[in-house]
Amino acid sequence: MDPYRFFVPTEIHFSPGAIGQVGRQAARFGRKVMLVTGRQSSRRSGALDGAVDSLRAAGLEVIVFDQVEENPSDRTVAAGARMAREKSCDVVVALGGGSPMDAAKGVAILAVLDGPLAQYYGSGRVDRPVLPVVAAPTTAGTGSEVTPYAVFVESENDLKCSVASPHIFPRVALLDPELTLSMPPAITANTGIDALTHALEGFTSVKAQPISDQLALRAIALINEHLPAAVSHGDRLEPREHLLHASMLAGMVIAQTGTTLIHGMGYAPTTRYGIPHGLANGVLMDQVVIFNGERNPDRYAALALALGGTVESSMAPQEAARTLRELRSRVGMPGRLRDLGVAQGDLEDFARQTMLHSRNLDNNARDVTLKDVLKIYQDSY
Ligand SMILES: [Fe+2]
């Protein structure tokens, strides 16, 4: 067996009602809290009030920053960090989906280190501790509560840029499946498929390793089994619990392996058309599996099995792709880029942009050329 290393330093609390502990957990790190959240959904669902009540009950001073948009920009992060510095915050609480959690990580960085955020894009550039983050996800997808990553949109050029550093792992993750009950069906589907692609890409990454493989296969099986029910019966707690658990497992996977070609290709449709991250990944995943699978059929046999398919190694990538398409339609997700309003003339530009995401391409088990990427976009159109 090859040597491996597995590292997730986040303390995880999983239970219905876990958000009620946010005050107690945040109080471990200081007295002044910046709570980072989105503009609407946590307010509407009551999650924000619940979190603020818990923080105040623990005797903490709370500063709410609720300006996080979908796909947060460097500007939003800078505004939040300015406020955190002015108020001398000791700890950042993230409440929401991937966008607020990533924005909170950015705020935690710039509250301590000098900006601009752009100087920390890439791997390992945040080289010392930043403000501690307590993360409470309200979607089951990103896994950001257990990863060392944060993705931002650079306002200069609309490109997605990411920060990777062990210093931005949240210190505590509060996984409360009740917070995910209010997610509408389409967001449930998109975020669930995002988590699925994390596990799938991690399992087939060049950095795949024995622990993350086990987590990935379990996450894939759980999402395949429970996502349709979470979409069609969103008020049932049990499928929500499985999905939140699975998205966290998938987050632990990519914390080790990174993401690969599906994510690399998904960024351009998101920044150009505002297509939700998980949806962009979802329309591309089956064609990427077919492309990558040619090189490593055994791994794809295990993948097909985790997806509930039959296993015949020579056809494993096709079989895995078939079950992915089936899942996509069971959760009501469109199957093609054209269904999302993408103009065919943009595909070449998308392919060029994908080639800039070298970290994703380096992690991909099969070498990828511009021509390959364009072909996958075309096959997904
Ligand atoms: Fe993702």
Side-chain angles (χ1 to χ4, degrees):
M1 192 184 283
D2 291 332
Y4 65 84
R5 171 181 184 266
F6 184 93
F7 182 63
V8 175
T10 307
E11 181 179 319
I12 295 160
H13 298 260
F14 186 106
S15 75
I19 191 64
Q21 307 180 33
V22 68
R24 185 152 42 92
Q25 295 298 338
R28 293 161 55 190
F29 305 105
R31 309 312 304 166
K32 281 194 180 183
V33 179
M34 166 155 280
L35 193 160
V36 176
T37 191
R39 288 173 180 159
Q40 286 174 342
S41 59
S42 69
R43 200 175 285 278
R44 215 170 18 213
S45 69
L48 178 59
D49 285 343
V52 169
D53 287 349
S54 166
L55 291 163
R56 292 208 175 116
L60 304 178
E61 187 182 331
V62 187
I63 294 103
V64 173
F65 181 73
D66 62 355
Q67 294 303 308
V68 182
E69 70 276 48
E70 200 171 327
N71 305 308
S73 73
D74 54 331
R75 279 195 201 132
T76 302
V77 169
R82 212 174 307 125
M83 208 196 246
R85 280 182 183 231
E86 273 165 24
K87 305 280 185 187
S88 307
C89 292
D90 308 303
V91 47
V92 181
V93 168
L95 177 69
S99 297
M101 281 194 281
D102 285 4
K105 291 175 176 179
V107 167
I109 294 168
L110 292 188
V112 173
L113 306 178
D114 289 333
L117 189 61
Q119 65 179 297
Y120 304 107
Y121 296 157
S123 193
R125 294 234 176 102
V126 175
D127 60 357
R128 68 198 83 164
V130 297
L131 286 190
V133 174
V134 175
T138 60
T139 64
T142 159
S144 186
E145 69 276 9
V146 291
T147 75
Y149 310 123
V151 183
F152 307 103
V153 174
E154 180 66 14
S155 26
E156 281 270 285
N157 50 17
D158 262 7
L159 280 182
K160 278 217 173 190
C161 299
S162 58
V163 175
S165 163
H167 295 294
I168 63 170
F169 272 110
R171 299 282 282 274
V172 178
L174 294 175
L175 291 149
D176 182 346
E178 288 176 352
L179 293 182
T180 67
L181 287 169
S182 58
M183 248 194 302
I187 298 179
T188 302
N190 294 345
T191 51
I193 294 290
D194 182 33
L196 177 72
T197 56
H198 293 160
L200 194 165
E201 288 170 72
F203 185 67
T204 56
S205 162
V206 293
K207 294 185 186 155
Q209 44 113 313
I211 298 180
S212 67
D213 282 353
Q214 293 303 310
L215 302 180
L217 290 174
R218 182 71 184 139
I220 290 165
L222 283 172
I223 295 166
N224 188 49
E225 186 178 343
H226 297 288
L227 186 57
V231 170
S232 59
H233 298 90
D235 55 343
R236 285 192 198 152
L237 190 61
E238 200 200 329
R240 297 291 195 181
E241 287 180 324
H242 290 301
L243 283 177
L244 188 61
H245 176 65
S247 66
M248 183 259 298
L249 296 182
M252 288 181 168
V253 172
I254 57 168
Q256 320 306 314
T257 64
T259 54
T260 65
L261 187 56
I262 301 173
H263 271 63
M265 291 184 64
Y267 291 137
T270 293
T271 47
R272 173 81 171 78
Y273 287 94
I275 295 167
H277 170 68
L279 178 54
N281 291 339
V283 296
L284 297 164
M285 61 185 176
D286 51 320
Q287 293 298 338
V288 173
V289 160
I290 289 171
F291 172 81
N292 276 338
E294 276 178 26
R295 294 299 153 92
N296 196 350
D298 288 351
R299 206 129 259 260
Y300 286 80
L303 181 66
L305 192 64
L307 283 163
T310 51
V311 191
E312 218 237 279
S313 196
S314 62
M315 290 304 287
Q318 283 74 13
E319 177 65 9
R322 184 189 66 75
T323 52
L324 290 172
R325 282 193 291 269
E326 216 172 82
L327 176 62
R328 200 165 56 198
S329 72
R330 278 160 71 208
V331 300
M333 182 178 267
R336 305 210 143 258
L337 283 167
R338 76 175 72 205
D339 303 332
L340 307 178
V342 170
Q344 200 163 11
D346 281 338
L347 299 184
E348 274 187 41
D349 197 43
F350 285 3
R352 275 191 294 273
Q353 278 193 45
T354 298
M355 298 311 285
L356 299 175
H357 292 288
S358 52
R359 206 144 47 101
N360 295 79
L361 304 185
D362 290 347
N363 289 338
N364 200 62
R366 179 172 174 182
D367 285 342
V368 191
T369 64
L370 180 71
K371 224 173 113 196
D372 295 330
V373 173
L374 183 59
K375 167 115 182 17
I376 297 169
Y377 277 125
Q378 284 163 343
D379 291 345
S380 308
Y381 192 80

